[in-house]
């Protein structure tokens, strides 16, 4: 029997993009939601939206940097004092920075790991004692389709997202022995403030590859959140928002060499188009 819908949820990065859409969709479905992020004005605005979506819920907004383990322990304590217990923990916060291995700074590599990977580790470890003691609930780690196949310009970002997969697979087994489910969600390209920031300083070749790719449509955060909530009750570990995400995952796992060749074709095609435009 699928688990009953979550009554309480904690979401990191719940004030913008995919996380905000998830927070509001959960509130609309009757859940009490606590969001966590750094910016206070977005926290205040999201809390007001949550109260409007579900006036009867016990909502909250907690300021913390996921990269700081002590701050996440304090955030967990604050969230539990508001919610009482957590049915659904969503580790969603993260950011992307594109750039070649040669171009990126050392600090870019470190910050991507600190926020995207250690941010999820810190959040899980802050809530794990509570969830294990309850013996039920779901933990969802949000990764990326760039954890299925990495391409030009995404070495640092993809490394931080591939790391989540290794962490999540082991955690899944550890926590299943305590009745807690661990799942991995792989969003596609989604129209969020984070994507807008990423596009500002993305290498021209990355942008050109994306424009020429048959499998790189940009989706709305509400659509991605709806797909997440449809996938959540089922038994599958990997979650995708779109059919083309599923196809990419299928190809990368069953035909890995062919998938690399297809990606190389897209790279060479993009470079030729850039050269024609005089930007190569
Ligand atoms: N958008 C896409 O195309 C896409 C594709 C694949 C995967 N993803 C993944 O999906 C997740 C959500 O992406 P998004 O595009 O919706 O992001 P977004 O629009 O940039 O929103 C990010 C959220 O995370 C919070 N956040 C960022 N850094 C944080 C930190 N250090 N500590 C606490 N909170 C932090 C932000 O608030 P503050 O800045 O105020 O802290 C905000 O609430 C990320 O993990 C991203 O890697 C996104």
């Amino acid at each position: 029997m699928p688990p009953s819908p979550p009554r309480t949820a904690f979401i990191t990065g719940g004030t913008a993009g995919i996380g905000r859409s998830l927070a509001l969709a959960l509130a609309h479905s009757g859940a009490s939601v606590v969001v966590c992020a750094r910016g206070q004005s977005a926290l205040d605005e999201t809390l007001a939206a949550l109260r409007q979506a579900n006036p009867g819920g016990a909502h909250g907004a907690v300021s913390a940097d996921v990269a700081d383990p002590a701050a996440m322990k304090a955030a967990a304590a604050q969230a539990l004092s508001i919610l009482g217990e957590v049915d659904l923990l969503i580790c969603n916060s993260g950011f992307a920075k594109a750039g070649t291995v040669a171009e990126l700074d050392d600090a870019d590599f470190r910050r991507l790991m600190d926020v995207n990977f250690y941010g999820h580790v810190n959040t899980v470890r802050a809530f794990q004692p509570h969830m294990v003691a309850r013996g039920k609930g779901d933990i969802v780690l949000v990764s990326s389709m760039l954890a299925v196949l990495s391409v030009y310009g995404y070495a640092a970002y993809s490394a931080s997202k591939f790391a989540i997969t290794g962490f999540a697979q082991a955690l899944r087994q550890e926590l299943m022995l305590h009745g807690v489910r661990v799942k991995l969600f792989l969003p596609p390209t989604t129209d969020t403030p984070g994507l807008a920031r990423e596009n500002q300083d993305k290498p021209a070749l990355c942008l050109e590859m994306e424009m020429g790719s048959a499998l790189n449509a940009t989706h709305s955060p509400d659509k991605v959140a709806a797909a997440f909530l449809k996938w959540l009750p089922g038994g599958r570990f990997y979650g995708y928002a779109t059919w083309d995400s599923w196809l990419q995952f299928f190809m990368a796992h069953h035909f890995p060499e062919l998938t690399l060749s297809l990606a190389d074709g897209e790279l060479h095609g993009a470079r030729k188009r850039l050269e024609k435009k005089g930007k190569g």
Side-chain angles (χ1 to χ4, degrees), residues 224-267:
V224 172
F228 178 110
L229 293 175
K230 201 172 162 196
W231 154 79
L232 180 67
R236 288 184 189 275
F237 173 70
Y238 295 104
Y240 324 97
T242 60
W243 73 269
D244 46 313
S245 298
W246 176 86
L247 181 63
Q248 258 181 295
F249 185 89
F250 180 87
M251 289 290 293
H253 281 81
H254 294 281
F255 305 103
E257 296 295 332
L258 174 62
T259 301
L260 289 175
S261 300
L262 291 171
D264 292 351
E266 289 192 344
L267 175 68

Side-chain angles (χ1 to χ4, degrees), residues 33-254:
V33 181
V34 173
V35 290
C36 169
R38 295 161 306 170
Q40 193 57 52
S41 60
L43 283 166
D44 294 341
E45 189 276 328
T46 306
L47 182 56
L50 289 169
R51 286 180 173 149
Q52 206 173 9
N54 173 14
H59 308 295
V62 175
S63 177
D65 185 335
V66 292
D68 178 346
M72 287 319 292
K73 284 207 174 80
Q78 206 181 329
L80 289 171
S81 74
I82 296 165
L83 296 171
E85 52 186 20
V86 170
D87 283 336
L88 173 61
L89 172 64
I90 306 178
C91 302
N92 161 78
S93 52
F95 75 104
K97 171 124 182 113
T100 63
V101 173
E103 284 162 358
L104 289 175
D105 294 333
D106 291 346
D108 294 325
F109 281 89
R110 291 204 179 277
R111 187 66 187 160
L112 280 162
M113 285 306 286
D114 280 348
V115 175
N116 293 357
F117 174 63
Y118 286 109
H120 282 18
V121 173
N122 296 334
T123 306
V124 166
R125 283 164 58 87
F127 281 91
Q128 185 170 347
H130 166 73
M131 299 201 70
V132 165
R134 281 185 80 217
K136 59 182 177 178
D138 287 334
I139 298 176
V140 180
L141 303 169
V142 175
S143 178
S144 169
M145 284 306 294
L146 279 160
V148 173
L149 174 72
S150 186
V151 293
Y152 180 100
Y154 283 96
Y157 175 74
S158 282
S160 72
K161 293 294 187 178
F162 269 79
I164 293 170
T165 304
F167 175 71
Q169 287 179 349
L171 185 72
R172 173 184 160 278
Q173 286 207 318
E174 291 177 18
L175 294 195
M176 76 164 51
L177 300 180
H178 299 279
V180 178
R181 294 195 315 172
V182 174
K183 292 164 73 90
L184 185 73
F185 188 68
L186 307 165
T189 305
T190 310
D191 186 11
T192 65
L195 180 67
R197 269 192 304 277
E198 175 192 339
N199 283 341
Q200 277 167 11
D201 61 356
K202 195 179 260 186
L205 194 44
C206 289
L207 275 174
E208 190 63 40
M209 268 173 77
E210 285 170 9
M211 282 190 280
S213 169
L215 296 181
N216 197 48
T218 300
H219 303 274
S220 81
D222 286 350
K223 176 183 167 181
V224 172
F228 178 110
L229 293 175
K230 201 172 162 196
W231 154 79
L232 180 67
R236 288 184 189 275
F237 173 70
Y238 295 104
Y240 324 97
T242 60
W243 73 269
D244 46 313
S245 298
W246 176 86
L247 181 63
Q248 258 181 295
F249 185 89
F250 180 87
M251 289 290 293
H253 281 81
H254 294 281

